[in-house]
Amino acid sequence: MNDMNFFQFMASRSDELIRLTIQHIQITGLAVLLAVMLGVPVGIFISKNRSLRSPILGLANVFQTIPSLALFGLIIPLLGTGYVPSVFVLFLYALLPIIKNTFIGINSVEESIIDAGRGMGMTTNQILTKVEMPLALPVIMGGIRISTVINIGTATIAALIGAGGLGEMIFKGISMASDNMVLAGAVPTALLAIFMDKVLGMVETKLTPIGITSQKDKAN
Amino acid sequence: MIELVNISKSYDGKINVIEKLNLKINKGEIVVLIGESGCGKTTTLRMINRLNEPTGGTIMIDGQDYKKMSKIELRRQLGYVIQKVGLMPHLTVGKNIEMIPELKGWDKEKRKERAYELLTTVDLPPEDYYDRYPHELSGGQQQRVGVARALAVNPDIILMDEPFSALDPVTREQLQKELLRLQDELGKTIVFVTHDMDEALKIGDRIAVMKDGKIIQYDTPEEILKNPADDFVEYFVGKDRLWKSPEMLRASDIMHKSLITVGQRRTPAQVIEVMKEKDLETLFIVEKETSKPQPPIGYITRESLREQGSNESKMSDICNREFETVQHDSKMTDVLKIMDNKLVRSLPVLDDNGNLIGMITRASILNLITKAVVNEEENQ
Ligand SMILES: Nc1ncnc2c1ncn2[C@@H]1O[C@H](COP(=O)(O)OP(=O)(O)O)[C@@H](O)[C@H]1O
Ligand SMILES: [Mg+2]
């Protein structure tokens, strides 16, 4: 087996690799999805509510600064091992960039635009949905992209608490001292991260309103 | 009509930035709020559409307490134009104008028709501009769209906060002119904030001069120029402003008020004496020599008296009865035209009853210029 080159090894394990990759995508995907569902509303909320802004950003920051390995360890006594605690930890990791970017995106909409909107009789909700959100969307998308890319990497560690994913291959490889096996987990992880970065980058561009895209072009 | 009644406003609960302010704005008028930065113009304006809430007093719109309506409803009945324009950058010009019509549920056809109509009104050909984005327009064009947007649901009242202040002088002048034209066509009531006296004089039907949250003087541009309420207004208007706005000057502003006339019974010898004494070339003749205003009968020149020589004829017999006159409220420009065309030396100024109340001579005009020039030098 040690005589096989990397590609031959990948080919021989293709079924397992595909299964682990799908698992990997599922864990990170779900974690990011949940983070968006909570993070965007929270980001909107703190953009309107000054007093809760720093406590919430501070809390989200704390999760970000705890080393991932430690956070996975800490979660075991609370939620045990497996799929659910892994997704939960990844969700906590994904939260900060999404909250922060939502907040920044909305907060950086020019005051005069909001003022004009209010002055001509738009409700707070209309301003949020018709003005602030469309203008903040590219920035929010940027946060989602960062969260996703970071999470694809971090999710490899989730294998330690039994979540599966490509990390399983890496850790098995480490324990068996098989370079090929480590690489067979690491290379697809990296490719997946790069791929998602590109795709989400394209989505980001797509979501940027035309009036703003060409404005940026002009600035360049 | 908009009526601000005893309006006060405090932002911090301690200092009143607006202090018991009263202001009545008639339908179809352009009223300008003017004053130095921080005197409360914006605060006052934004209380009318409730972007700021007054801490005291009430505002009546067409006789109704404006709080009877919801804020949203109220704002949709008041156009709002601001210095920074505030167009939605992610929407085309057309969609910007259609924002409120859309929120009010107008159908697509009607919205587009309205946007086309308004773009034409503000002199932006709709075929070229409807689908453009705000950043593709110059500052002046953006503000035109801003004005069009404010007109979208056809409000009777438009609030404008230094709408042209950020524009270059040429564009500014253009938009000022168009605002006046628009006002002529549409008859809107406009409350216009500026810190630029030239602008205020140009577009205001009435001007409210503000200082420290109070209105110091509320009057027509002409009155503000001619009878400033106090030193502040005078300083703010600028002493030489009247001279810089010759269209505001009337005959009564430039005439000599100390009139010298003679009665119709005087003889040439007596009149020559008066002329020598007062160093005059021309004298106007009236019926009697009283201080009561009366109509001029004719005039006599020193030259014609010299030709007459000394005799016993009366002024009523020999005076020249053909002469030009102007009304007291004739414009300075018309006065100058008459003096220039007819080579008139002395131009009698008449009141509404045809009585002589003053005289305009070349000297009085020279006086005026001298005063203006001297003021100018003092200001520098
Ligand atoms: N949102 C605000 N909060 C606190 N103070 C304000 C606010 N807006 C204006 N002010 C104060 O109120 C006064 C009047 O301001 P403003 O109406 O903007 O003046 P102007 O438009 O004439 O320049 C100023 O002293 C200003 O500092
Ligand atoms: Mg202001």
Side-chain angles (χ1 to χ4, degrees):
Chain A
M1 192 161 99
N2 280 339
D3 299 334
M4 269 195 271
N5 71 22
F6 175 59
F7 295 103
Q8 286 168 325
F9 178 82
M10 292 266 287
S12 71
R13 297 292 189 100
S14 62
D15 284 354
E16 193 185 356
L17 275 171
I18 288 169
R19 185 180 55 83
L20 291 176
T21 305
I22 290 173
Q23 218 170 31
H24 203 98
I25 293 172
Q26 276 175 345
I27 305 168
T28 48
L30 185 61
V32 171
L33 188 71
L34 292 173
V36 170
M37 283 166 59
L38 182 69
V40 171
V42 168
I44 293 170
F45 177 74
I46 63 169
S47 73
K48 307 289 174 197
N49 190 318
R50 274 170 194 283
S51 55
L52 287 178
R53 185 174 298 167
S54 23
I56 287 177
L57 281 176
L59 188 68
N61 235 331
V62 167
F63 295 129
Q64 201 83 43
T65 47
I66 300 176
S68 48
L69 201 56
L71 201 54
F72 279 113
L74 285 172
I75 209 70
I76 297 175
L78 296 174
L79 291 175
T81 58
Y83 185 69
V84 174
S86 305
V87 169
F88 184 69
V89 168
L90 292 176
F91 156 78
L92 290 181
Y93 265 97
L95 221 40
L96 181 70
I98 293 171
I99 293 179
K100 213 171 175 172
N101 277 40
T102 305
F103 157 67
I104 291 172
I106 287 188
N107 220 35
S108 59
V109 175
E110 221 181 286
E111 193 54 46
S112 59
I113 299 170
I114 310 291
D115 195 50
R118 290 212 305 142
M120 64 196 203
M122 294 175 81
T123 64
T124 311
N125 268 340
Q126 288 162 347
I127 289 178
L128 182 65
T129 55
K130 303 230 170 228
V131 183
E132 290 175 314
M133 284 306 277
L135 289 173
L137 212 49
V139 186
I140 297 174
M141 205 54 222
I144 295 174
R145 182 171 156 192
I146 295 169
S147 288
T148 307
V149 172
I150 291 176
N151 257 4
I152 289 172
T154 313
T156 54
I157 299 171
L160 285 180
I161 62 167
L166 289 163
E168 203 176 295
M169 187 70 88
I170 297 174
F171 286 114
K172 226 192 298 177
I174 293 172
S175 67
M176 293 169 62
S178 161
D179 292 348
N180 274 345
M181 201 179 280
V182 171
L183 284 175
V187 171
T189 305
L191 289 177
L192 187 63
I194 293 168
F195 174 74
M196 285 312 290
D197 189 43
K198 287 274 175 258
V199 170
L200 292 177
M202 275 155 58
V203 175
E204 196 178 316
T205 312
K206 193 104 188 160
L207 284 178
T208 308
I210 300 169
I212 306 216
T213 336
S214 30
Q215 201 168 2
K216 277 184 191 151
D217 292 349
K218 206 162 79 170
N220 288 339
Chain B
M1 189 173 77
I2 312 169
E3 232 175 321
L4 281 71
V5 186
N6 276 329
I7 288 290
S8 301
K9 170 71 183 176
S10 170
Y11 285 104
D12 56 6
K14 292 180 213 132
I15 303 159
N16 272 354
V17 296
I18 301 294
E19 183 79 50
K20 289 212 185 306
L21 182 140
N22 286 286
L23 183 67
K24 210 186 229 176
I25 296 158
N26 293 326
K27 230 185 177 65
E29 259 185 350
I30 302 186
V31 165
V32 176
L33 303 182
I34 192 168
E36 289 176 331
S37 175
C39 71
K41 307 179 292 291
T42 297
T43 303
T44 305
L45 192 78
R46 288 165 65 95
M47 282 193 285
I48 299 175
N49 64 4
R50 290 183 77 182
L51 286 172
N52 288 336
E53 293 286 358
T55 11
T58 52
I59 296 180
M60 313 285 280
I61 293 182
D62 294 329
Q64 283 247 339
D65 186 333
Y66 79 149
K67 288 200 173 163
K68 286 238 169 81
M69 265 181 272
S70 77
K71 281 186 198 178
I72 300 301
E73 220 179 309
L74 174 77
R75 289 175 192 158
R76 288 183 185 176
Q77 291 186 18
L78 305 170
Y80 185 50
V81 183
I82 54 178
Q83 182 180 343
K84 289 187 173 167
V85 191
L87 295 177
M88 318 285 162
H90 59 299
L91 301 177
T92 60
V93 164
K95 291 282 172 265
N96 264 285
I97 297 173
E98 291 172 23
M99 178 62 89
I100 293 300
E102 186 181 343
L103 293 177
K104 285 186 105 177
W106 294 18
D107 64 45
K108 219 174 157 182
E109 292 289 296
K110 187 176 167 196
R111 288 197 318 247
K112 188 165 179 180
E113 199 178 307
R114 180 68 177 152
Y116 262 60
E117 186 187 342
L118 286 169
L119 282 170
T120 311
T121 305
V122 297
D123 215 17
L124 295 174
E127 315 78 52
D128 294 343
Y129 286 92
Y130 184 86
D131 285 320
R132 293 230 207 150
Y133 282 92
H135 69 89
E136 300 172 305
L137 309 185
S138 70
Q141 291 168 333
Q142 288 187 18
Q143 195 55 289
R144 283 167 196 269
V145 178
V147 172
R149 177 175 67 176
L151 293 169
V153 292
N154 202 16
D156 292 328
I157 298 167
I158 302 177
L159 310 177
M160 306 182 98
D161 194 349
E162 310 217 13
F164 308 144
S165 299
L167 306 175
D168 64 89
V170 178
T171 312
R172 189 184 315 151
E173 197 154 324
Q174 221 171 15
L175 284 179
Q176 286 164 349
K177 272 195 196 133
E178 288 191 32
L179 182 70
L180 289 176
R181 191 207 72 207
L182 222 122
Q183 157 76 354
D184 275 349
E185 282 171 20
L186 307 176
K188 302 288 179 195
T189 307
I190 298 175
V191 190
F192 190 106
V193 166
T194 183
H195 61 260
D196 174 1
M197 197 33 110
D198 285 319
E199 185 167 71
L201 293 171
K202 222 176 284 176
I203 67 166
D205 291 317
R206 284 200 284 169
I207 299 176
V209 183
M210 292 184 66
K211 189 188 175 196
D212 301 334
K214 294 195 190 80
I215 292 179
I216 307 283
Q217 187 171 9
Y218 184 37
D219 246 321
T220 60
E222 226 176 299
E223 276 305 303
I224 298 255
L225 280 178
K226 289 179 191 165
N227 301 310
D230 65 7
D231 288 349
F232 174 77
V233 179
E234 184 168 346
Y235 157 78
F236 200 72
V237 170
K239 280 194 172 132
D240 52 339
R241 180 81 57 173
L242 196 54
W243 172 248
K244 281 186 184 162
S245 320
E247 70 277 3
M248 299 274 177
L249 283 171
R250 306 288 153 153
S252 56
D253 298 319
I254 44 182
M255 68 187 185
H256 287 298
K257 287 181 188 109
S258 53
L259 260 182
I260 300 161
T261 52
V262 290
Q264 57 180 351
R265 290 180 203 291
R266 294 291 188 121
T267 60
Q270 291 172 313
V271 173
I272 285 211
E273 260 327 289
V274 177
M275 284 178 154
K276 271 187 191 154
E277 194 184 317
K278 306 277 182 189
D279 194 22
L280 295 169
E281 287 299 324
T282 313
L283 259 181
F284 268 81
I285 317 296
V286 292
E287 196 184 333
K288 285 185 219 138
E289 280 174 32
T290 67
S291 55
K292 228 175 66 188
Q294 46 193 318
I297 293 171
Y299 71 95
I300 193 96
T301 63
R302 219 198 273 210
E303 213 178 316
S304 66
L305 281 176
R306 238 183 258 125
E307 282 163 13
Q308 285 270 332
S310 187
N311 59 37
E312 291 307 304
S313 55
K314 300 271 187 279
M315 282 304 119
S316 52
D317 303 326
I318 58 170
C319 74
N320 194 336
R321 287 171 189 269
E322 302 267 306
F323 55 92
E324 296 283 338
T325 60
V326 289
Q327 289 296 312
H328 64 100
D329 57 355
S330 300
K331 288 184 176 166
M332 154 111 166
T333 38
D334 296 333
V335 170
L336 289 178
K337 252 181 243 157
I338 291 173
M339 297 194 69
D340 201 36
N341 284 346
K342 315 260 170 164
L343 293 171
V344 176
R345 286 172 176 278
S346 304
L347 191 56
V349 180
L350 307 183
D351 65 9
D352 289 330
N353 300 320
N355 294 328
L356 184 63
I357 54 167
M359 195 65 68
I360 298 173
T361 63
R362 309 217 153 181
S364 60
I365 290 171
L366 196 64
N367 254 343
L368 191 78
I369 298 175
T370 312
K371 257 195 261 169
V373 171
V374 171
N375 270 331
E376 186 108 319
E377 278 171 357
E378 275 172 6
N379 289 346
Q380 277 164 9

